[in-house]
Amino acid sequence: MASKGAETVTDVAWSKVRLVVFDLDGTLYDQPPLRRAMALELVKHSLLRRSLRTVETLRAYRRVRELLGRVQGDDFTNEQFRLTARRCGCSEGEVRALVEEWIERRPLAHLPRYKARGIDSLFSALRATGRRIAVWSDYPVIDKLAALGLKADHVIWSGDQGVGRLKPDPTGLLALLEEAGITAEETLVIGDRMDRDAAGAAAIGVPALIRSAHGGGKAIFRRFDDPPFAPILAEAFHA
Ligand SMILES: [Mg+2]
């Protein structure tokens, strides 16, 4: 097992956990193959159009989002489009349309293929043992979750009313806990980014498990049937 990071746990105190909060992108599905599939679609699109405008706009948008995650403002939902438009010399409307098409809608068709292995069993085990499931994301959740064939008891994303903050700001997580009526001590966050998911959880005293496909020093687990989940799978299926 990988080394223990400051904000992560290797042994989950499952007896205390009543709510498991999953990140979505890169956690409930494998992100590298989805990125490759989308890159291929973008190449075809760019060749047909004989233009790199879409590629460049989306790249600028991703950079702006990363920046806004580090420098939290009060209006990221509009700021992300405004800043990207300024960088690309296009209109905010054009950025919004490209993001809607390429980041929200087109990936949906690919998602089922890249669903994380073992996630169905883990969701079933959590439910069978009386625990609730939530999803906390920086992007809209509902359509992606449906495309993955997964159901959560509570969902929230950074653009939701009353959140307006990107991870690692814990506002979204706090709102989830309030909605669920669950304390930080009874919660576990599972994500794929130390600097966003684990850091956001740590900000309000919630432990986190981090998924990484590549292993390495900070990886805590790779698959949803790895040792941290063994107790809950055993409790549900082999009791
Ligand atoms: Mg993620």
Side-chain angles (χ1 to χ4, degrees), residues 23-27 31 137 167 191-193 196-197:
D23 165 58
L24 202 160
D25 301 284
T27 299
Q31 206 158 31
S137 176
K167 299 175 186 179
D192 71 320
R193 283 188 67 169
R196 299 294 155 103
D197 302 308

Side-chain angles (χ1 to χ4, degrees), residues 193-216:
R193 283 188 67 169
M194 220 45 144
D195 61 338
R196 299 294 155 103
D197 302 308
I204 60 163
V206 171
L209 280 174
I210 293 298
R211 177 182 189 225
S212 167
H214 306 294

Side-chain angles (χ1 to χ4, degrees), residues 54-64:
T54 303
V55 177
E56 284 164 359
T57 307
L58 293 172
R59 188 181 297 146
Y61 172 77
R62 288 188 191 285
R63 288 201 181 130
V64 163

Side-chain angles (χ1 to χ4, degrees), residues 17-21 132-134 154 176-177 180 182 186-188:
V17 176
R18 293 175 59 210
L19 176 73
V20 181
V21 179
R132 271 184 280 163
I133 294 166
H154 307 276
L176 263 184
L177 299 197
I182 299 271
E186 299 167 323
T187 304
L188 173 70

Side-chain angles (χ1 to χ4, degrees), residues 9-71:
V9 289
T10 46
D11 293 312
V12 179
W14 284 111
S15 60
K16 282 201 245 168
V17 176
R18 293 175 59 210
L19 176 73
V20 181
V21 179
F22 291 86
D23 165 58
L24 202 160
D25 301 284
T27 299
L28 299 181
Y29 68 86
D30 304 329
Q31 206 158 31
L34 178 82
R35 286 237 166 106
R36 286 194 289 274
M38 291 311 299
L40 196 64
E41 264 193 61
L42 262 175
V43 167
K44 287 181 194 162
H45 168 89
S46 302
L47 287 172
L48 275 172
R49 296 273 180 98
R50 294 171 188 273
S51 164
L52 289 173
R53 195 174 171 93
T54 303
V55 177
E56 284 164 359
T57 307
L58 293 172
R59 188 181 297 146
Y61 172 77
R62 288 188 191 285
R63 288 201 181 130
V64 163
R65 290 271 307 206
E66 282 296 314
L67 178 76
L68 289 174
R70 289 197 297 274
V71 188

Side-chain angles (χ1 to χ4, degrees), residues 88-135:
C88 297
C90 56
S91 72
E92 278 180 49
E94 191 179 340
V95 179
R96 281 177 194 271
L98 287 177
V99 166
E100 196 278 326
E101 178 180 358
W102 288 94
I103 296 194
E104 288 170 22
R105 186 161 48 78
R106 285 194 190 233
L108 296 177
H110 298 283
L111 280 185
R113 214 177 323 151
Y114 305 124
K115 183 173 178 175
R117 277 177 67 184
I119 194 65
D120 283 320
S121 297
L122 182 63
F123 269 41
S124 299
L126 291 171
R127 290 229 161 79
T129 57
R131 292 172 173 92
R132 271 184 280 163
I133 294 166
V135 176

